[in-house]
Amino acid sequence: MKIQADNLVFKYGDLLAVDDVSFTVKPGEVLGFLGPNGAGKSTTIKMLTGQIKPYSGHLQVLGSEPYRIKQHIGVCFERTNLYEHMTARENLNFFAKLFSIKKFRAEHLLTRVGLGDRMDDKVSKFSKGLKQRLMIARALVNSPSVLFLDEPTDGLDPLSSEAVRKIILEEKERGASIFLTTHNMFEAETLSDNVVFINDGKILLYDTPLNLKLQYGSKMMLVDVEKKNGETEQLEIPLDNPDTGLQLKEIFDSSNVLRIHSREASLNDIFIKVSGRGLE
Ligand code: ADP
């Protein structure tokens, strides 16, 4: 296990910010950590990256206490902390030096994040999207075994978001474990092997996106048919009804079926169902 968190608790004074939280992340796994503002996501990431110590519980990252293995992790937090007066290349070279990496090739990493033609521009000239891509590149300088990404695509243009998502999947492919916080449901669904729903410091649900959808979604088939007057009508057919087959046959016999699709709950629908509040 790359991350093993058992019964983590963190308090700010009397405020219980993280309340008995347990999860694991395997090699090559993306864990999506989802919850509204104030749910406890950043506090959890701070414990995982060794910035704060759990009040109680047990936490191991790469088999050690988090503060011991900073050389082997990559972090990308929302707040940019790049050196604005340096170029993109100089920023990465600087971090490579900090990690004592001898043969570091900034060009390769910068090309991967789509900054190949901006390598020698000062960061102060970059848009938010370009800075974010550089932050991701910076998090990858030491080829980390575990990556912590806090809202990596928040507020980015679609092109930069797509670039960031592509890199996350490439890193997963390389075998890195990725802890991702987001309140973008599409992102969570497309990237995560498992998702944790957290609210008020507590884990509400923890499963694969597919299992959550199967468990909480309404099992419904939507059938678009063309009516005699040429208009389209949508029929809702429950899937767990013994008459479903018969009903479908009748529809096919009596009308022109245009298309059929299943209705799935989105992760946001599920979050509302279990917490009574939305995420997005
Ligand atoms: P999230 O990242 O999900 O938005 P946080 O982990 O930042 O949530 O916050 C969890 C809870 O802890 C919230 O109620 C928040 O107000 C509180 N909190 C966060 N940071 C501090 C702090 N430095 N001092 C006191 N309370 C804090």
Side-chain angles (χ1 to χ4, degrees):
M1 245 7 120
K2 296 262 184 110
I3 303 179
Q4 176 88 41
D6 298 311
N7 312 104
L8 295 183
V9 171
F10 192 86
K11 291 178 178 179
Y12 296 102
D14 287 340
L15 182 93
L16 198 50
V18 171
D19 184 3
D20 197 23
V21 161
S22 303
F23 56 88
T24 57
V25 189
K26 295 196 199 83
E29 176 181 343
V30 179
L31 179 70
F33 214 68
L34 315 181
N37 280 339
K41 302 184 296 294
S42 306
T43 306
T44 304
I45 266 206
K46 282 184 190 151
M47 288 191 274
L48 293 172
T49 53
Q51 298 173 62
I52 56 177
K53 280 199 165 181
Y55 176 85
S56 64
H58 187 250
L59 174 60
Q60 289 215 310
V61 180
L62 298 171
S64 289
E65 286 186 78
Y67 72 92
R68 291 181 192 275
I69 43 93
K70 288 196 173 155
Q71 289 276 349
H72 306 289
I73 65 170
V75 297
C76 180
F77 293 155
E78 212 177 332
R79 166 181 51 87
T80 52
N81 53 351
L82 298 165
Y83 294 102
E84 298 262 337
H85 61 284
M86 288 189 195
T87 66
R89 191 203 299 267
E90 286 165 351
N91 263 280
L92 293 198
N93 284 338
F94 180 78
F95 278 94
K97 259 203 196 116
L98 284 186
F99 282 113
S100 313
I101 300 168
K102 292 213 175 67
K103 284 184 190 157
F104 177 68
R105 287 175 52 221
E107 301 77 20
H108 175 67
L109 209 46
L110 288 167
T111 305
R112 259 185 79 196
V113 298
L115 290 174
D117 53 353
R118 303 293 303 268
M119 287 192 254
D120 296 311
D121 287 354
K122 282 215 166 87
V123 172
S124 54
K125 289 190 202 152
F126 283 6
S127 64
K128 183 171 181 198
L130 295 188
K131 281 183 188 169
Q132 187 71 3
R133 292 191 206 187
L134 182 56
M135 297 255 302
I136 300 260
R138 203 201 63 189
L140 299 180
V141 161
N142 56 334
S143 308
S145 306
V146 186
L147 255 180
F148 296 96
L149 306 173
D150 198 5
E151 302 280 355
T153 61
D154 197 33
L156 294 194
D157 59 283
L159 208 65
S160 290
S161 298
E162 195 45 47
V164 170
R165 282 196 282 272
K166 185 168 157 272
I167 292 161
I168 294 173
L169 290 176
E170 287 169 3
E171 288 303 300
K172 168 184 162 66
E173 209 47 36
R174 186 173 66 79
S177 301
I178 298 159
F179 182 92
L180 170 78
T181 74
T182 177
H183 52 253
N184 178 327
M185 285 297 165
F186 166 74
E187 190 160 293
E189 246 175 277
T190 47
L191 296 178
S192 310
D193 298 293
N194 282 299
V195 295
V196 164
F197 281 1
I198 182 170
N199 193 31
D200 290 335
K202 288 189 198 58
I203 290 183
L204 299 180
L205 293 174
Y206 178 16
D207 211 332
T208 64
L210 180 65
N211 280 346
L212 291 175
K213 287 176 157 200
L214 291 176
Q215 198 179 341
Y216 290 90
S218 47
K219 290 182 182 159
M220 200 68 93
M221 195 187 295
L222 302 178
V223 185
D224 292 338
V225 295
E226 189 180 11
K227 292 201 292 190
K228 291 218 166 61
N229 62 8
E231 282 175 17
T232 304
E233 184 183 10
Q234 187 164 75
L235 308 170
E236 291 191 1
I237 315 291
L239 280 181
D240 38 15
N241 185 327
D243 293 338
T244 301
L246 212 59
Q247 247 181 311
L248 268 181
K249 185 176 181 313
E250 275 171 18
I251 295 170
F252 271 98
D253 286 347
S254 62
S255 23
N256 180 20
V257 174
L258 299 173
R259 61 176 190 160
I260 298 179
H261 46 114
S262 59
R263 183 167 71 197
E264 288 187 324
S266 71
L267 289 185
N268 200 43
D269 295 338
I270 298 168
F271 194 88
I272 291 170
K273 217 174 199 172
V274 294
S275 73
R277 65 194 283 197
L279 262 181
E280 286 170 327

